[in-house]
Amino acid sequence: MSEYILKSLLNPESCDVGVGFAVALLAWYDLNARNLPWRDQPSPYRVWVSEIMLQQTRVDTVIPYFNRLIDAFPDVAALASANDEQLYKCWEGLGYYSRVRNMKKAAIIICERYGGIFPNSYDRLLSLPGFGAYTAGAVASIAFNEAVPAVDGNVLRVFSRLYADRTDIGTPAMKRAIEKQVISLLPPARAGDFNQALMDLGATVCLPNGNALCEICPVQSFCKGSQEGIVSELPVIAAKSPRKMETKTVFIIIYKDRVALRKRSASGLLASLWEFPNCDGILDNEDALNMLAKLGIHTKKVEPLPCAKHVFTHIEWKMNGFLTYAQSICANESMHWASADEIRHYYTLPSAFRAYTDVALKVLGSANETSTQG
Ligand code: SF4
């Protein structure tokens, strides 16, 4: 058990919610736990994969990705030796690719330092790449029943309402306070179930945006927010600073039934993934032709494509696009020419380019049909 948690247990803060809370919550969980594939066999590896995938992503979206990744990489050793292209392809569409890159780094460390056996304590897990307090707490409690909290956005919302606390849940102080509250309530014999019960309560009953189902909530009698009639005002979340806007022009360049791709740099946003050639700014037809010439693409005409946008956590891309059929190309090592099949099964294109990927697949599909019929 970590030093931090020992201190919390030795100095418990007064707890208005009380011991009956865990009993009521677990009784509800025993009857209403969500049926999720990683709960069938809660091995540390499966719990870890699910928890990483669930960050920023809804459960119903995660399930098919989880099954696909577990099929392809059934254990930590398989993940450690994964081919990057195959791994990213499994993740395609989930976004936040740093998650999967960190998973592979952590898997390599688990194999090299721990002989492929998952470290079984919160503190050791916390030292691995991609493990923050939440992920370490979730894996340690669910897979090893260690009495540690796993406080994510759902739990922050539930506890700010339970205690009618108007502190901004985005502050580290509020998160620490809620971790202490969770520890003070957590029954050591069922730590993993307790954390999962809180997750399920937040995901299915104590819903955000004015949709809390207090009338069917198993812990309503403990809830100050409900008793004071202020549930719709909680949690308090400070306004985020506006996203940085960036503009791009994306080129779908077709040459001999293939489309041009290039690899993004190994660091920064969408590192090491594939993209259609693009440049900063919104170009008009003439500038687009000049840019293509610089890329070594000989063409006489570009067709404008619909605009698209993609929202990242801190950045928003506004994109316009052009389709062109190259008459000839200059040798360019950074340019790869992909078939429709390769785009579907090999190259990982981030969802930021989804609108243009669809155009490329449609154009390549028609080109293939024409050449087959011809
Ligand atoms: Fe959330 Fe309402 Fe239950 Fe309180 S009573 S925990 S606000 S659902």
Side-chain angles (χ1 to χ4, degrees):
M1 189 180 297
S2 75
E3 196 185 331
Y4 160 65
I5 289 161
L6 266 176
K7 271 187 203 152
S8 302
L9 287 174
L10 290 171
N11 304 296
E13 299 197 339
S14 69
C15 172
D16 294 329
V17 173
V19 287
F21 175 85
V23 174
L25 181 67
L26 286 168
W28 170 82
Y29 179 70
D30 288 341
L31 293 174
N32 297 283
R34 287 175 295 172
N35 186 13
L36 301 171
W38 44 91
R39 287 183 177 170
D40 296 343
Q41 305 155 41
S43 68
Y45 179 66
R46 288 165 65 88
V47 172
W48 174 45
V49 170
S50 69
E51 289 299 341
I52 298 291
M53 286 185 166
L54 285 165
Q55 290 165 15
Q56 324 266 3
T57 313
R58 294 168 55 86
V59 165
D60 45 0
T61 304
V62 163
I63 289 173
Y65 280 97
F66 173 83
N67 289 331
R68 193 166 8 139
L69 192 133
I70 292 289
D71 280 350
F73 309 105
D75 53 35
V76 75
L79 182 62
S81 56
N83 168 286
D84 284 349
E85 295 295 350
Q86 195 194 351
L87 184 59
Y88 297 162
K89 197 68 190 167
C90 269
W91 202 268
E92 189 179 54
L94 266 186
Y96 303 98
Y97 285 82
S98 57
R99 293 182 292 172
V100 70
R101 275 189 279 275
N102 278 330
M103 274 176 63
K104 182 169 171 184
K105 282 185 203 162
I108 292 170
I109 293 172
I110 292 170
C111 288
E112 290 178 354
R113 194 180 300 164
Y114 299 103
I117 310 290
F118 231 88
N120 64 357
S121 78
Y122 174 89
D123 290 339
R124 281 186 181 168
L125 289 167
L126 199 56
S127 71
L128 295 170
F131 275 81
Y134 170 76
T135 309
V139 175
S141 64
I142 299 169
F144 303 113
N145 203 41
E146 185 175 347
V148 286
V151 174
D152 67 353
N154 277 336
V155 178
L156 289 171
R157 181 173 64 254
V158 171
F159 271 69
S160 77
R161 290 171 174 174
L162 275 173
Y163 288 85
D165 193 330
R166 291 181 187 274
T167 313
D168 172 10
I169 58 166
T171 61
M174 179 63 161
K175 191 162 179 229
R176 278 196 299 275
I178 290 179
E179 281 172 346
K180 285 189 176 184
Q181 287 161 353
V182 172
I183 292 164
S184 72
L185 297 170
L186 207 149
R190 294 191 67 186
D193 285 348
F194 183 81
N195 282 334
Q196 290 181 96
L198 283 178
M199 293 171 197
D200 283 16
L201 188 76
T204 62
V205 178
C206 194
L207 299 167
N209 309 322
N211 294 318
L213 304 172
C214 300
E215 62 286 358
I216 59 159
C217 178
V219 292
Q220 190 185 19
S221 60
F222 302 93
C223 181
K224 260 193 181 177
S226 176
Q227 285 152 18
E228 293 177 14
I230 56 168
V231 172
S232 61
E233 298 162 35
L234 297 168
V236 171
I237 307 172
K240 286 183 187 154
S241 49
R243 291 190 183 92
K244 187 177 158 205
M245 304 296 290
E246 293 184 356
T247 52
K248 306 243 166 243
T249 297
V250 179
F251 297 99
I252 301 298
I253 308 165
I254 306 291
Y255 183 62
K256 293 185 176 173
D257 298 349
R258 287 177 174 258
V259 65
L261 297 181
R262 65 184 185 191
K263 198 164 205 174
R264 291 179 65 82
S265 73
S267 60
L269 187 68
L270 306 174
S272 300
L273 301 179
W274 294 90
E275 65 177 3
F276 299 109
N278 62 78
C279 62
D280 290 339
I282 299 291
L283 305 190
D284 60 20
N285 288 31
E286 194 183 330
D287 289 340
L289 281 167
N290 290 336
M291 178 56 72
L292 286 164
K294 275 190 204 160
L295 292 171
I297 305 297
H298 302 133
T299 184
K300 288 198 173 126
K301 202 174 125 197
V302 288
E303 295 172 28
L305 294 170
C307 296
K309 77 167 185 175
H310 188 79
V311 177
F312 299 93
T313 310
H314 302 296
I315 300 173
E316 183 170 330
W317 280 1
K318 280 195 173 5
M319 296 169 276
N320 75 336
F322 289 100
L323 167 67
T324 193
Y325 293 86
Q327 294 165 326
S328 61
I329 55 172
C330 294
N332 179 343
E333 275 183 12
S334 68
M335 208 78 93
H336 291 242
W337 295 90
S339 67
D341 239 29
E342 286 168 338
I343 287 183
R344 285 194 195 94
H345 303 296
Y346 178 74
Y347 292 102
T348 302
L349 283 151
S351 26
F353 295 104
R354 167 115 2 110
Y356 299 109
T357 307
D358 290 347
V359 170
L361 286 173
K362 201 167 163 194
V363 171
L364 292 174
S366 332
N368 277 342
E369 273 170 32
T370 312
S371 60
T372 311
Q373 284 161 15

